[in-house]
Every structure is written in structure tokens, then in C-alpha cells.
Amino acid sequence: MSESPNESAVPAARVICVSGGTSGIGAALVEAFLAAGDRVYTCGRSPRRVAQLVDQQGAAVAAGALSVLTGDVTDALFLDSLAGRIRADTGRLDVLVNNAGVIRGGGYLEESVADWRVTLETNLIAPFALTQVCASLLRSSQAPVVINISSACA
């Protein structure tokens, strides 16, 4: 059986977005997706951690396989700009990993209401908001996937 001219033996790279991909589980996911040949977008709040990831993954950044943005997932304008960047670059999103989260030391009874609000905004509301702003990109994928990573704090 012969291959038609429009078919490729190599599947197209998936387009992946991992929130909170500058440390921990998120950074490991970014590395794994890059190793699989995927096009990865990620973000983090800490400019220092963003710079570290860019340094560690310099070849992937230079090749256009990795884009790392500095921003806070609780900021609606940042989420719009992240989705806008993916839309402008690829026009679709195959996998969204809602991974960004905060864990504060101490127990719930010791945490202030203000700190608890930050935890809820980051761990609960931000994944919903990011999924919502990426919905049209996910609809453009042939097999979209949303993965929500959570902790006991959400």
C-alpha cells in the first residue's frame, strides 16, 4: 500500500500547555513532553525560575519547541496573552495541563483568610479560567485533552 503525498510517516508534534512548568511536577512534564517531540508552552510567576528553565532548555527554546512566559495564572490578562500566543503560533492546543498551584506551610487553622483566598484563586479558579480561555484552541485539536493536577489545597 502506498502513502498518499499528503500523508506523513511522522505524526505532527502535539501542542501542549503546562501551567506552572518552571518547577516540580510541571518542569518534569515540560521535559517529558519535549523529549516526546511536542511543542510546549509553559509559564511561571517567578522570573528567576523562568530564566532557569530557559537556560536549562536553551536548545528547545532556540528551536522553537519551547516557549516560557512569566506571569500569574490568577491574572486574567496574562491568561488571555498566553492563549493568544498559542493561537498566533499554532492555532490549536492538543493538551492543557493545569498544574500551577500553591501550598503554604502550616495548617488550615493557622492560615489567614487572605492567604486562603490566594490558594483558592491559584489552585481552584485559575484552572477553570485557563481552560475557558483555551477552549477554542482545544476545539481546534483532533483529540483535545485537559489534565488537572491538584493537591489537598484545592
Side-chain angles (χ1 to χ4, degrees):
M1 185 166 148
S2 67
E3 214 175 272
S4 71
N6 293 333
E7 290 179 6
S8 172
V10 178
R14 294 178 299 178
V15 179
I16 314 285
C17 179
V18 179
S19 68
T22 58
S23 65
I25 293 170
L29 288 170
V30 166
E31 188 173 328
F33 286 130
L34 288 171
D38 297 319
R39 172 71 174 97
V40 180
Y41 293 82
T42 194
C43 62
R45 288 180 305 181
S46 165
R48 179 183 57 79
R49 285 187 177 164
V50 166
Q52 286 174 336
L53 182 61
V54 168
D55 287 344
Q56 291 167 355
Q57 297 291 345
V61 172
L66 176 63
S67 293
V68 187
L69 289 80
T70 303
D72 190 327
V73 295
T74 66
D75 178 347
L77 292 175
F78 172 70
L79 296 182
D80 286 341
S81 69
L82 174 59
R85 171 78 177 272
I86 297 168
R87 183 174 292 104
D89 290 353
T90 69
R92 76 175 205 277
L93 182 59
D94 300 306
V95 179
L96 171 61
V97 181
N98 286 305
N99 171 71
V102 295
I103 298 175
R104 300 192 183 277
Y108 295 108
L109 297 178
E110 291 81 27
E111 193 164 347
S112 71
V113 171
D115 285 344
W116 183 237
R117 286 184 203 281
V118 170
T119 299
L120 289 176
E121 284 284 334
T122 306
N123 296 3
L124 186 62
I125 296 170
F128 169 80
L130 183 54
T131 302
Q132 195 171 49
V133 301
C134 289
S136 65
L137 291 163
L138 289 160
R139 285 186 195 111
S140 296
S141 173
Q142 291 183 0
V145 175
V146 176
I147 300 168
N148 293 311
I149 297 175
S150 66
S151 71
C153 294

PDB file of all heavy atoms in Angstrom, residues 3-21:
ATOM      1  N   GLU A   3       1.729   5.355   0.238  1.00  0.00           N
ATOM      2  CA  GLU A   3       1.313   6.525   1.012  1.00  0.00           C
ATOM      3  C   GLU A   3       0.928   7.648   0.060  1.00  0.00           C
ATOM      4  O   GLU A   3       1.602   7.893  -0.933  1.00  0.00           O
ATOM      5  CB  GLU A   3       2.505   6.966   1.870  1.00  0.00           C
ATOM      6  CG  GLU A   3       2.125   7.534   3.190  1.00  0.00           C
ATOM      7  CD  GLU A   3       3.372   7.820   4.005  1.00  0.00           C
ATOM      8  OE1 GLU A   3       3.843   6.914   4.712  1.00  0.00           O
ATOM      9  OE2 GLU A   3       3.854   8.954   3.928  1.00  0.00           O
ATOM     10  N   SER A   4      -0.166   8.325   0.351  1.00  0.00           N
ATOM     11  CA  SER A   4      -0.537   9.458  -0.492  1.00  0.00           C
ATOM     12  C   SER A   4       0.412  10.618  -0.198  1.00  0.00           C
ATOM     13  O   SER A   4       1.018  10.680   0.867  1.00  0.00           O
ATOM     14  CB  SER A   4      -1.984   9.869  -0.233  1.00  0.00           C
ATOM     15  OG  SER A   4      -2.092  10.476   1.025  1.00  0.00           O
ATOM     16  N   PRO A   5       0.565  11.558  -1.126  1.00  0.00           N
ATOM     17  CA  PRO A   5       1.511  12.650  -0.936  1.00  0.00           C
ATOM     18  C   PRO A   5       1.203  13.521   0.282  1.00  0.00           C
ATOM     19  O   PRO A   5       2.092  14.152   0.818  1.00  0.00           O
ATOM     20  CB  PRO A   5       1.384  13.482  -2.221  1.00  0.00           C
ATOM     21  CG  PRO A   5       0.600  12.657  -3.171  1.00  0.00           C
ATOM     22  CD  PRO A   5      -0.092  11.588  -2.405  1.00  0.00           C
ATOM     23  N   ASN A   6      -0.032  13.544   0.731  1.00  0.00           N
ATOM     24  CA  ASN A   6      -0.398  14.394   1.865  1.00  0.00           C
ATOM     25  C   ASN A   6      -0.220  13.705   3.210  1.00  0.00           C
ATOM     26  O   ASN A   6      -0.382  14.314   4.248  1.00  0.00           O
ATOM     27  CB  ASN A   6      -1.841  14.883   1.728  1.00  0.00           C
ATOM     28  CG  ASN A   6      -2.001  15.829   0.562  1.00  0.00           C
ATOM     29  OD1 ASN A   6      -1.043  16.494   0.170  1.00  0.00           O
ATOM     30  ND2 ASN A   6      -3.185  15.871   0.009  1.00  0.00           N
ATOM     31  N   GLU A   7       0.051  12.407   3.215  1.00  0.00           N
ATOM     32  CA  GLU A   7       0.232  11.685   4.473  1.00  0.00           C
ATOM     33  C   GLU A   7       1.697  11.730   4.873  1.00  0.00           C
ATOM     34  O   GLU A   7       2.584  11.638   4.046  1.00  0.00           O
ATOM     35  CB  GLU A   7      -0.217  10.228   4.329  1.00  0.00           C
ATOM     36  CG  GLU A   7      -1.711  10.087   4.177  1.00  0.00           C
ATOM     37  CD  GLU A   7      -2.113   8.629   4.020  1.00  0.00           C
ATOM     38  OE1 GLU A   7      -1.248   7.741   4.153  1.00  0.00           O
ATOM     39  OE2 GLU A   7      -3.291   8.388   3.760  1.00  0.00           O
ATOM     40  N   SER A   8       1.930  11.827   6.151  1.00  0.00           N
ATOM     41  CA  SER A   8       3.300  11.860   6.650  1.00  0.00           C
ATOM     42  C   SER A   8       3.534  10.646   7.527  1.00  0.00           C
ATOM     43  O   SER A   8       2.660  10.249   8.297  1.00  0.00           O
ATOM     44  CB  SER A   8       3.512  13.141   7.468  1.00  0.00           C
ATOM     45  OG  SER A   8       4.761  13.100   8.108  1.00  0.00           O
ATOM     46  N   ALA A   9       4.712  10.052   7.407  1.00  0.00           N
ATOM     47  CA  ALA A   9       5.064   8.918   8.251  1.00  0.00           C
ATOM     48  C   ALA A   9       5.321   9.375   9.686  1.00  0.00           C
ATOM     49  O   ALA A   9       5.217   8.599  10.617  1.00  0.00           O
ATOM     50  CB  ALA A   9       6.293   8.217   7.694  1.00  0.00           C
ATOM     51  N   VAL A  10       5.645  10.650   9.863  1.00  0.00           N
ATOM     52  CA  VAL A  10       5.923  11.194  11.182  1.00  0.00           C
ATOM     53  C   VAL A  10       4.715  12.024  11.622  1.00  0.00           C
ATOM     54  O   VAL A  10       4.323  12.962  10.933  1.00  0.00           O
ATOM     55  CB  VAL A  10       7.190  12.086  11.157  1.00  0.00           C
ATOM     56  CG1 VAL A  10       7.445  12.681  12.525  1.00  0.00           C
ATOM     57  CG2 VAL A  10       8.380  11.288  10.683  1.00  0.00           C
ATOM     58  N   PRO A  11       4.096  11.668  12.751  1.00  0.00           N
ATOM     59  CA  PRO A  11       2.940  12.452  13.192  1.00  0.00           C
ATOM     60  C   PRO A  11       3.361  13.874  13.574  1.00  0.00           C
ATOM     61  O   PRO A  11       4.488  14.105  13.999  1.00  0.00           O
ATOM     62  CB  PRO A  11       2.431  11.683  14.420  1.00  0.00           C
ATOM     63  CG  PRO A  11       3.583  10.849  14.873  1.00  0.00           C
ATOM     64  CD  PRO A  11       4.439  10.595  13.662  1.00  0.00           C
ATOM     65  N   ALA A  12       2.441  14.806  13.393  1.00  0.00           N
ATOM     66  CA  ALA A  12       2.721  16.194  13.766  1.00  0.00           C
ATOM     67  C   ALA A  12       2.911  16.286  15.275  1.00  0.00           C
ATOM     68  O   ALA A  12       2.293  15.552  16.042  1.00  0.00           O
ATOM     69  CB  ALA A  12       1.565  17.084  13.327  1.00  0.00           C
ATOM     70  N   ALA A  13       3.789  17.169  15.678  1.00  0.00           N
ATOM     71  CA  ALA A  13       4.021  17.376  17.108  1.00  0.00           C
ATOM     72  C   ALA A  13       2.738  17.871  17.761  1.00  0.00           C
ATOM     73  O   ALA A  13       2.005  18.674  17.188  1.00  0.00           O
ATOM     74  CB  ALA A  13       5.141  18.390  17.307  1.00  0.00           C
ATOM     75  N   ARG A  14       2.481  17.377  18.963  1.00  0.00           N
ATOM     76  CA  ARG A  14       1.336  17.893  19.718  1.00  0.00           C
ATOM     77  C   ARG A  14       1.690  19.272  20.244  1.00  0.00           C
ATOM     78  O   ARG A  14       2.853  19.585  20.491  1.00  0.00           O
ATOM     79  CB  ARG A  14       1.014  16.977  20.895  1.00  0.00           C
ATOM     80  CG  ARG A  14       0.525  15.604  20.482  1.00  0.00           C
ATOM     81  CD  ARG A  14       0.274  14.729  21.685  1.00  0.00           C
ATOM     82  NE  ARG A  14       1.524  14.555  22.434  1.00  0.00           N
ATOM     83  CZ  ARG A  14       1.639  13.875  23.574  1.00  0.00           C
ATOM     84  NH1 ARG A  14       0.580  13.301  24.109  1.00  0.00           N
ATOM     85  NH2 ARG A  14       2.795  13.773  24.188  1.00  0.00           N
ATOM     86  N   VAL A  15       0.663  20.085  20.451  1.00  0.00           N
ATOM     87  CA  VAL A  15       0.835  21.393  21.066  1.00  0.00           C
ATOM     88  C   VAL A  15       0.337  21.260  22.502  1.00  0.00           C
ATOM     89  O   VAL A  15      -0.816  20.903  22.744  1.00  0.00           O
ATOM     90  CB  VAL A  15       0.057  22.490  20.309  1.00  0.00           C
ATOM     91  CG1 VAL A  15       0.241  23.835  20.997  1.00  0.00           C
ATOM     92  CG2 VAL A  15       0.502  22.557  18.850  1.00  0.00           C
ATOM     93  N   ILE A  16       1.237  21.555  23.445  1.00  0.00           N
ATOM     94  CA  ILE A  16       0.992  21.323  24.866  1.00  0.00           C
ATOM     95  C   ILE A  16       1.140  22.636  25.620  1.00  0.00           C
ATOM     96  O   ILE A  16       2.054  23.410  25.355  1.00  0.00           O
ATOM     97  CB  ILE A  16       2.029  20.334  25.462  1.00  0.00           C
ATOM     98  CG1 ILE A  16       2.235  19.103  24.573  1.00  0.00           C
ATOM     99  CG2 ILE A  16       1.699  19.988  26.901  1.00  0.00           C
ATOM    100  CD1 ILE A  16       1.159  18.099  24.588  1.00  0.00           C
ATOM    101  N   CYS A  17       0.282  22.859  26.602  1.00  0.00           N
ATOM    102  CA  CYS A  17       0.446  23.983  27.537  1.00  0.00           C
ATOM    103  C   CYS A  17       0.447  23.418  28.948  1.00  0.00           C
ATOM    104  O   CYS A  17      -0.486  22.708  29.338  1.00  0.00           O
ATOM    105  CB  CYS A  17      -0.682  25.001  27.371  1.00  0.00           C
ATOM    106  SG  CYS A  17      -0.557  26.392  28.531  1.00  0.00           S
ATOM    107  N   VAL A  18       1.502  23.721  29.693  1.00  0.00           N
ATOM    108  CA  VAL A  18       1.638  23.279  31.085  1.00  0.00           C
ATOM    109  C   VAL A  18       1.751  24.525  31.952  1.00  0.00           C
ATOM    110  O   VAL A  18       2.755  25.237  31.896  1.00  0.00           O
ATOM    111  CB  VAL A  18       2.894  22.404  31.293  1.00  0.00           C
ATOM    112  CG1 VAL A  18       3.027  21.988  32.754  1.00  0.00           C
ATOM    113  CG2 VAL A  18       2.881  21.190  30.373  1.00  0.00           C
ATOM    114  N   SER A  19       0.733  24.801  32.758  1.00  0.00           N
ATOM    115  CA  SER A  19       0.865  25.928  33.686  1.00  0.00           C
ATOM    116  C   SER A  19       1.758  25.501  34.841  1.00  0.00           C
ATOM    117  O   SER A  19       1.792  24.334  35.212  1.00  0.00           O
ATOM    118  CB  SER A  19      -0.505  26.392  34.192  1.00  0.00           C
ATOM    119  OG  SER A  19      -1.098  25.418  35.031  1.00  0.00           O
ATOM    120  N   GLY A  20       2.512  26.443  35.378  1.00  0.00           N
ATOM    121  CA  GLY A  20       3.404  26.111  36.483  1.00  0.00           C
ATOM    122  C   GLY A  20       4.502  25.144  36.076  1.00  0.00           C
ATOM    123  O   GLY A  20       4.865  24.250  36.845  1.00  0.00           O
ATOM    124  N   GLY A  21       5.060  25.335  34.893  1.00  0.00           N
ATOM    125  CA  GLY A  21       6.051  24.401  34.377  1.00  0.00           C
ATOM    126  C   GLY A  21       7.487  24.737  34.682  1.00  0.00           C
ATOM    127  O   GLY A  21       8.391  24.171  34.071  1.00  0.00           O
TER     128      GLY A  21
END
